[in-house]
């Protein structure tokens, strides 16, 4: 039964991922005064991509055929490591924090390999910018996770959140700082507005979109799914830090799911708000918010070390 | 030690094997730096000899004091190419023939690691925690410096040499951490860090030899070491491209390859150090952790650049387009390190079983590992564990699942077409992204690590319609530029001053100086005995 519940948790997060992305999108459009897309828009998009033929560049090598599958699988694995609302994630044994960080770096590596494989300048620009963001946000991600690890005296996500579920009811100062840092790197890593614009392919805003510019058909569908999963991964991480509440068995499962969805909706609205309120930043101003995130995580870690 | 000198002399000849003028200067630099290292190390050995009266390693056990250890460490740091004395390594390794540079990077610098382990862990007589922290920090800084310089490098072999500096930095950070935790009696941390050191020594030897050999094959068939002239080789040499992908991923320490396992141990020992009670030590631990993480991230871009520019995209020059194809025995030989890299990454337990015996001899604690997982425990409490084999199996299962779902759902066919270039028909392969441009953003953000001189020159300055422009950029190592280059100048100036103040031509002054020197040396002699 435990295995089944874990699998259900994994499946639910994966299946609802396009829905949450659509909610962010729709909220933004409503604030702008537009009518907005249907909530199931992105399911239809993926279905449409799957039906279309795949056009592969003449210069593409085996990398182009391999990478979409690899990236989608990496993010599926990351999602399977999260105890979002049920205490035992599917791949809980693998949820070591360093492993998770390196797995997400591996996804960036493959994405940029794909970009360079096309032999056009757009891919190069995208790869360069993607890594600039990644290099600056990776230390912050490690610091956030290590701070949590120090709090829980364990370096595994599974145990960390088991621990925090039992102990923390109030938001402490380090937790608030961690949340701030994590929001910043979530926006950077999943290419949201102050860093990148997920809605356009315009050259000036591109980092993630430029990397997958050549993708089409089922490859594009896989890349899109991977992007949704990445966003949902970071959002779930945030949800698990704010008032963590995970179910241990069937009895509390439904209230845990309801609470999880409520928190996810809150973060959807938060992201939509940030995206509406901020313009896209110039590329070389991006280190500023990222270093703010780093300093926040550093402060959180110092406070945690002092506290223990 | 004598053997080491023979090695230095021999490798000096190996470097100048290719009789070119340009190889002489790095070879001489290498020779002198290595001799300088030997001076420090032999001083340390003589001090030990004076203490014990013997010359064999067994009698030195637990006898070295802080000064001896520091001297030996300086010597070994020079030999291992640690920051700020790393410039010789980046100069000497690339100019040697490829087989020699594989040997030098893979094996010879590891001898310095062996020496440092001997002195710090076996001959350890005094416990100076600061020394461990200093070595750890210097190691981390040299890792960052090495990878930052590798990032800006376009020469295939020079990039790999800088990456050697990075990996030696990581190894020395591990050694420093091991020494520190032994001196503080944190045996479980010492076990982790020492495992990281030994494992990384093996791993680095494997993947760096692999990459040097691959670069040798590339140079053989394309006749260039400049990345900007390569490109699109994945289509000409697919097998070599796969090998290289494995090597590159191992160097970036991505799972599931061997580099990840050893770096994982290092990260865990740093996190363990941050768990500790002492606040100051935790601060040092997170500082090092930040540097190592940044190093890891930049290693990702560096080797993305290496792989992406050399193997992917369109061929940038005719040489790359018409390159030869690696012969079957080259593929066969290269398959050995590739297979070992993958094997250690997926089944590290076989190698770890051997390493566990060595770490037990030093730290007196066993590494918790079984066939399927590696466990990290402190006082009976499980901190974390790694399941390398299971991770690979899970990944393969997930990927198969994705593949099956796509196979069932997707309907479209696959068609080949030209890359979209905004509707233009652009067949100029020079219009691709270059290696310099790929890293420009990061180099600009971290500009304090480089001393960059760049200029745009126009061919015909005075005309209104300029026909062409030349962009030049020279990036150099600030240490090299500001310190190493100036050493001869400073030495000359000092000796000039010395000459003018001592060689006055006054005989009485000479006699007085000799007398003074005699008194000083006699005082030192009495003071010592």
């Amino acid at each position: 039964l435990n295995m089944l519940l874990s699998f259900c948790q994994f499946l639910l997060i994966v299946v609802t991922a396009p829905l949450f992305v659509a909610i962010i999108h729709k909220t933004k459009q409503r604030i702008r005064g537009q009518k907005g897309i249907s909530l199931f828009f992105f399911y239809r998009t993926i279905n449409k991509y799957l039906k279309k033929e795949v056009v592969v560049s003449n210069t593409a090598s085996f990398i182009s055929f391999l990478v979409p599958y690899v990236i989608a699988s990496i993010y599926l694995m990351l999602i399977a490591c999260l105890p979002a609302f049920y205490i035992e994630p599917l791949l809980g044994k693998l949820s070591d924090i360093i492993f998770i960080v390196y797995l997400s770096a591996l996804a960036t590596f493959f994405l940029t390999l794909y970009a360079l494989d096309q032999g056009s300048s757009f891919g190069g620009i995208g790869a360069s910018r993607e890594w600039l963001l990644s290099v600056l946000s990776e230390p912050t991600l490690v610091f956030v996770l290590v701070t949590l690890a120090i709090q829980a005296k364990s370096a595994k996500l599974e145990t960390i959140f088991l621990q925090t579920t039992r102990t923390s009811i109030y938001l402490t100062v380090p937790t608030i700082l961690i949340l701030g840092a994590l929001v910043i790197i979530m926006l950077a890593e999943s290419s949201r507005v102050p860093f990148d614009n997920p809605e356009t392919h315009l050259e000036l805003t591109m980092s993630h979109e430029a990397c997958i510019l050549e993708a089409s058909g089922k490859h594009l569908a896989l890349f899109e799914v991977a992007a949704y999963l990445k966003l949902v991964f970071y959002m779930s991480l945030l949800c698990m830090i704010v008032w963590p509440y995970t179910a241990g068995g069937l009895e509390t499962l439904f209230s845990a799911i309801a609470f999880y969805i409520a928190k996810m909706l809150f973060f959807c609205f938060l992201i939509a708000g940030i995206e509406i309120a901020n313009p896209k930043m110039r590329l070389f101003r991006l280190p500023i918010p990222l270093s703010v995130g780093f300093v926040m995580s550093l402060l959180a870690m110092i406070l945690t070390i002092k506290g223990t | 030690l004598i053997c080491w000198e023979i090695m230095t002399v021999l490798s000096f000849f190996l470097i100048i094997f290719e009789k070119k003028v340009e190889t002489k200067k790095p070879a001489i630099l290498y020779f002198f730096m290595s001799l300088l290292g030997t001076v420090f190390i032999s001083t340390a050995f003589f001090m030990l000899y004076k203490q014990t009266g013997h010359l064999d390693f067994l009698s030195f056990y637990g006898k070295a004091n802080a000064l001896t250890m520091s001297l030996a460490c300086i010597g070994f740091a020079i030999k291992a190419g640690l920051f700020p004395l790393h410039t010789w390594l980046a100069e000497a390794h690339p100019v040697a023939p490829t087989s020699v540079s594989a040997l030098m990077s893979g094996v010879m610098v590891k001898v310095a690691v062996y020496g440092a382990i001997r002195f710090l862990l076996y001959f350890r007589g005094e416990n100076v925690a600061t020394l461990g922290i200093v070595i750890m920090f210097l190691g981390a800084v040299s890792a960052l410096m090495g990878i930052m310089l590798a990032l800006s490098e376009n020469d295939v072999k020079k990039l790999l040499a800088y990456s050697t500096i990075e990996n030696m930095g990581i190894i020395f950070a591990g050694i420093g951490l091991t020494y520190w935790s032994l001196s503080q009696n944190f045996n479980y941390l010492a076990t982790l860090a020492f495992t990281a050191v030994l494992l990384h020594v093996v791993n680095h030897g494997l993947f760096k030899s692999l990459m040097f050999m691959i670069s040798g094959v590339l140079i053989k068939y394309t006749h260039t070491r400049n990345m900007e002239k390569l490109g699109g080789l994945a289509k000409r040499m697919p097998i070599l491209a796969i090998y290289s992908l494995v090597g590159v991923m191992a160097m970036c320490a991505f799972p599931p390859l061997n580099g990840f396992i050893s770096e994982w141990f290092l990260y865990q020992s740093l996190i363990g150090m941050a768990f500790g009670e002492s606040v100051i030590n935790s601060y040092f631990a997170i500082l090092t952790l930040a540097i190592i993480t940044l190093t890891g991230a930049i290693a990702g871009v560096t080797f993305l650049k290496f792989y992406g520019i050399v193997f992917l995209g369109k061929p940038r020059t005719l040489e790359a387009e018409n390159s030869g194809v690696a012969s079957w025995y080259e593929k066969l030989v290269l398959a050995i390190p590739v297979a070992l890299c993958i094997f250690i990454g997926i089944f590290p337990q076989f190698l770890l079983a051997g390493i566990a015996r060595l770490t037990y001899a030093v730290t007196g604690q066993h590494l918790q590992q079984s066939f399927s997982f590696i466990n990290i425990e402190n006082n009976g409490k499980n901190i974390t564990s790694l399941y390398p084999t299971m991770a690979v199996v899970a990944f393969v299962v997930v990927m198969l699942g994705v593949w099956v779902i796509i196979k069932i759902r997707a309907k479209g066919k696959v068609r080949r077409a030209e890359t979209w270039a905004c509707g233009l028909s652009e067949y100029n392969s020079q219009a691709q992204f270059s290696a310099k441009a790929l890293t420009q953003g990061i180099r600009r953000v971290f500009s304090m690590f480089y001393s960059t001189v760049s200029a745009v020159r126009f061919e015909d300055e005075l005309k209104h319609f300029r026909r062409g422009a030349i962009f030049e950029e020279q990036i150099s190592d600030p240490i090299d530029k500001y310190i190493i280059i100036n050493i001869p100048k400073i030495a000359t100036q000092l000796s000039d001053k010395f000459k003018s103040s001592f060689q006055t031509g006054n005989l009485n002054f000479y006699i007085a100086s000799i007398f003074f020197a005699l008194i000083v040396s006699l005082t030192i002699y009495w003071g010592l005995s």
Side-chain angles (χ1 to χ4, degrees):
Chain A
L1 182 71
N2 286 355
M3 266 307 258
L4 195 68
L5 280 178
S6 312
F7 192 71
C8 286
Q9 160 172 282
F10 168 68
L11 214 59
L12 191 71
I13 302 176
V14 172
V15 168
T16 51
L19 185 69
F20 287 118
V21 180
I23 290 171
I24 296 177
H25 211 85
K26 194 174 170 90
T27 317
K28 276 168 69 179
Q29 284 173 324
R30 275 296 169 84
I31 296 173
R32 288 196 200 116
Q34 294 160 326
K35 190 168 163 247
I37 51 168
S38 145
L39 284 181
F40 299 98
F41 178 77
F42 288 115
Y43 295 99
R44 260 182 260 148
T45 317
I46 289 167
N47 201 22
K48 185 179 76 190
Y49 288 149
L50 282 179
K51 277 180 198 151
K52 298 220 167 187
E53 73 172 347
V54 182
V55 183
V56 181
S57 163
N58 282 334
T59 49
S61 62
F62 69 98
I63 293 283
S64 291
F65 293 92
L66 184 72
V67 166
Y69 296 95
V70 171
I71 289 180
S73 316
I74 286 174
Y75 285 113
L76 283 173
M77 262 182 94
L78 285 178
I79 293 283
C81 289
L82 288 179
F85 47 82
Y86 178 63
I87 204 74
E88 282 175 31
L90 196 59
L91 296 175
K93 281 179 177 171
L94 299 180
S95 63
D96 177 76
I97 51 174
I98 300 300
F99 183 70
I100 282 176
V101 170
Y102 267 85
L103 212 53
S104 64
L106 181 63
T108 313
F109 182 74
F110 270 110
L111 180 69
T112 45
L113 272 189
Y114 182 87
L116 286 177
D117 197 23
Q118 313 307 328
S120 83
S121 288
F122 291 110
I125 295 173
S128 173
R129 293 180 181 176
E130 189 82 19
W131 270 107
L132 177 64
L133 294 181
S134 192
V135 160
L136 292 170
S137 61
E138 203 164 289
T140 317
L141 182 60
V142 169
F143 266 35
V144 164
L145 290 175
V146 170
T147 310
L148 291 173
I150 292 173
Q151 280 176 357
K153 292 273 175 204
S154 163
K156 257 176 133 175
L157 274 191
E158 195 188 22
T159 348
I160 286 171
F161 289 110
L162 188 70
Q163 206 79 10
T164 45
T165 312
R166 287 191 189 142
T167 51
S168 70
I169 304 149
Y170 306 107
L171 287 178
T172 53
V173 179
T175 317
I176 294 168
L177 286 170
I178 283 176
L179 284 177
L182 205 53
V183 166
I184 290 172
I185 52 173
M186 172 182 72
L187 295 173
E189 286 270 327
S190 46
S191 48
R192 307 305 298 187
V193 152
F195 299 92
D196 187 10
N197 194 344
E199 288 165 35
T200 66
H201 292 286
L202 279 174
E203 189 202 346
L204 286 172
T205 63
M206 290 195 301
S207 74
H208 178 79
E209 293 295 326
C211 290
I212 58 170
L213 196 62
E214 275 298 309
S216 55
K218 57 186 177 187
H219 292 173
L220 186 58
L222 284 170
F223 279 126
E224 291 290 320
V225 168
Y228 305 151
L229 289 178
K230 193 176 190 178
L231 182 63
V232 167
F233 172 75
Y234 282 105
M235 279 166 70
S236 307
L237 213 57
L238 279 169
C239 287
M240 281 147 46
I241 294 169
V242 200
W243 295 301
Y245 178 64
T246 47
L250 263 182
E251 311 84 50
T252 46
L253 188 66
F254 291 100
S255 52
I257 291 177
F259 193 47
Y260 167 75
I261 289 175
K263 282 189 288 189
M264 285 294 271
L265 285 176
F266 169 74
F267 283 114
C268 284
F269 295 138
L270 182 74
I271 291 173
I274 292 172
E275 296 208 329
I276 282 291
N278 287 295
K280 158 94 175 63
M281 273 184 160
R282 203 160 63 82
L283 186 70
F284 285 106
R285 285 179 63 89
L286 293 183
I288 298 169
L290 284 168
S291 48
V292 168
F294 181 72
V295 170
M296 280 165 109
S297 66
L298 186 67
L299 279 178
M301 186 177 275
I302 289 172
L303 285 175
T304 316
I305 287 171
K306 280 247 166 177
T308 50
Chain B
L1 194 71
I2 308 256
C3 287
W4 200 336
E5 282 321 300
I6 296 171
M7 181 179 91
T8 310
V9 174
L10 284 183
S11 53
F12 173 75
F13 285 119
L14 282 175
I15 295 175
I16 56 170
F17 184 71
E18 286 179 0
K19 281 178 189 154
K20 284 184 208 159
V21 185
E22 69 207 71
T23 59
K24 264 189 191 144
K25 195 185 145 233
I28 290 169
L29 182 66
Y30 166 64
F31 197 59
F32 277 101
M33 283 310 246
S34 192
L35 276 182
L36 190 64
T38 313
V39 169
F40 281 106
I41 297 165
S42 39
T43 317
F45 268 113
F46 281 131
M47 282 168 82
L48 276 178
Y49 172 65
K50 208 166 168 326
Q51 262 185 337
T52 57
H54 293 283
L55 257 179
D56 54 337
F57 278 4
L58 274 179
S59 58
F60 290 165
Y61 194 84
K63 289 288 179 346
N65 56 13
L67 184 64
T68 319
M69 282 191 292
S70 321
L71 278 178
C73 277
I74 296 173
F76 288 120
I78 294 175
K79 296 232 171 199
L82 220 58
F83 176 84
L85 298 162
H86 57 269
T87 45
W88 68 266
L89 198 150
E91 297 271 331
H93 283 199
V95 294
T98 316
S99 48
V100 182
S101 27
L103 192 68
M104 283 172 80
S105 259
V107 184
M108 271 156 57
V109 284
K110 300 300 180 318
V111 185
V113 174
Y114 167 75
I117 291 173
R118 270 277 163 206
F119 262 91
L120 281 176
L121 306 182
Y122 288 89
F123 301 165
R124 177 174 54 100
E126 272 179 274
N127 287 328
V128 195
T130 329
L131 184 63
I133 300 270
V134 166
I135 294 171
M136 178 177 85
F137 192 65
L138 269 186
V141 169
S142 102
L144 184 61
M145 203 67 206
I147 202 67
M148 283 284 184
L149 291 168
L151 180 74
S152 68
E153 199 50 64
N154 283 340
D155 183 322
V156 178
K157 281 173 83 177
K158 228 170 172 178
L159 189 149
L160 292 174
Y162 278 126
S163 152
T164 300
I165 296 175
E166 180 225 342
N167 282 293
M168 293 313 286
I170 287 173
I171 291 171
F172 267 78
I175 293 177
L177 187 55
T178 317
Y179 176 76
W180 174 83
S181 35
L182 275 180
S183 67
Q184 304 283 311
N185 286 323
F186 290 144
N187 281 342
Y188 101 96
L189 269 187
T191 315
L192 285 182
F194 198 42
T195 313
V197 169
L198 294 176
L199 202 55
H200 206 71
V201 165
V202 175
N203 290 343
H204 177 240
L206 273 176
F207 58 66
K208 192 46 65 68
S209 312
L210 169 67
M211 289 312 290
F212 263 118
M213 286 195 278
I214 286 176
S215 73
V217 174
L218 288 178
I219 292 163
K220 182 178 165 195
Y221 289 110
T222 59
H223 311 292
T224 178
R225 279 165 42 176
N226 189 350
M227 266 184 231
E228 310 271 29
K229 290 186 178 157
L230 298 171
L233 289 178
K235 292 197 126 181
R236 295 269 320 159
M237 311 187 214
I239 302 284
L240 203 66
I242 293 171
Y243 288 170
S244 184
L245 186 61
V246 171
V248 158
M249 278 170 64
M251 280 209 278
C252 301
F254 285 137
L257 290 159
N258 58 355
F260 175 69
I261 310 281
S262 43
E263 292 222 1
W264 184 80
F265 274 109
L266 186 67
Y267 276 108
Q268 291 303 338
S269 47
L270 280 172
I271 293 173
M273 189 177 169
F275 280 177
E277 285 86 35
S278 161
V279 174
I280 300 292
N281 290 333
S282 300
Y283 290 164
F284 276 114
I286 58 173
L287 194 59
T288 317
L289 186 67
I291 297 175
I292 296 277
T293 318
L294 192 60
T295 309
I298 292 175
V301 208
T302 308
F303 294 111
L304 168 84
K305 180 182 91 170
F306 179 87
Y307 193 80
I309 299 293
V310 173
F311 285 100
L312 305 180
K314 278 180 257 180
R316 285 181 176 73
T317 52
L318 278 175
E319 284 101 337
E321 204 174 340
N322 304 322
S323 75
V325 180
S327 57
W328 63 269
Y329 57 86
E330 279 162 347
K331 287 176 193 163
L332 195 71
V333 168
L334 286 173
I336 300 168
V338 170
L340 279 173
C341 279
I342 298 174
F343 181 76
I344 295 176
I346 301 178
F347 305 102
Q349 44 273 29
F350 297 107
L351 187 59
L352 280 175
I355 284 174
R357 251 178 269 148
L358 289 173
T359 50
Y360 181 72
V362 172
T363 63
Q365 202 168 45
H366 278 296
L367 187 70
Q368 299 268 334
Q369 61 129 359
S370 77
F371 188 74
S372 63
F373 62 90
I374 306 156
N375 225 348
I376 295 178
E377 278 182 8
N378 185 19
N379 300 329
K381 194 172 171 293
N382 186 8
I383 303 273
T384 185
S385 42
L386 184 69
Y387 295 78
T389 320
M390 190 183 143
V392 174
V393 172
F395 185 76
V396 169
V397 168
V398 171
M399 203 158 138
L400 272 180
V402 172
W403 188 75
V404 167
I405 291 172
I406 293 297
K407 196 83 188 163
I408 294 169
R409 294 282 303 150
K411 293 186 182 71
K413 291 187 293 266
V414 178
R415 180 163 65 90
R416 285 273 184 174
E418 193 56 44
T419 305
W420 183 74
C422 289
L424 301 169
S425 53
E426 177 77 81
Y427 294 109
N428 181 4
S429 61
Q430 291 287 328
Q432 291 177 85
F433 228 55
S434 67
K436 276 242 163 73
L438 190 63
T439 56
Q440 197 260 349
I442 295 166
R443 278 191 283 121
R444 189 162 151 188
V445 171
F446 294 101
S447 55
M448 67 272 200
F449 287 96
Y450 307 107
S451 61
T452 310
V453 180
S454 51
V456 178
R457 280 204 210 116
F458 295 105
E459 277 172 359
D460 26 19
E461 200 70 48
L462 295 172
K463 288 174 189 159
H464 288 294
F465 298 100
R466 285 163 180 159
R467 245 182 289 129
I470 303 161
F471 177 68
E472 275 179 359
E473 191 168 43
Q474 186 145 32
I475 302 157
S476 48
D477 184 351
I479 299 287
D480 202 16
K481 191 172 174 187
Y482 297 119
I483 299 172
I484 304 287
I485 298 286
N486 285 334
I487 283 176
K489 215 191 275 173
I490 295 166
T492 327
Q493 277 175 1
L494 271 183
S495 52
D496 270 352
K497 282 244 177 73
F498 192 76
K499 193 175 123 193
S500 58
S501 55
F502 279 92
Q503 291 192 344
T504 48
N506 188 343
L507 191 66
N508 293 345
F509 182 74
Y510 288 156
I511 295 171
S513 313
I514 293 168
F515 183 66
F516 187 69
L518 188 69
I519 288 177
V520 168
S521 48
L522 280 177
T523 325
I524 290 172
Y525 179 72
W526 284 325
L528 279 178
S529 61

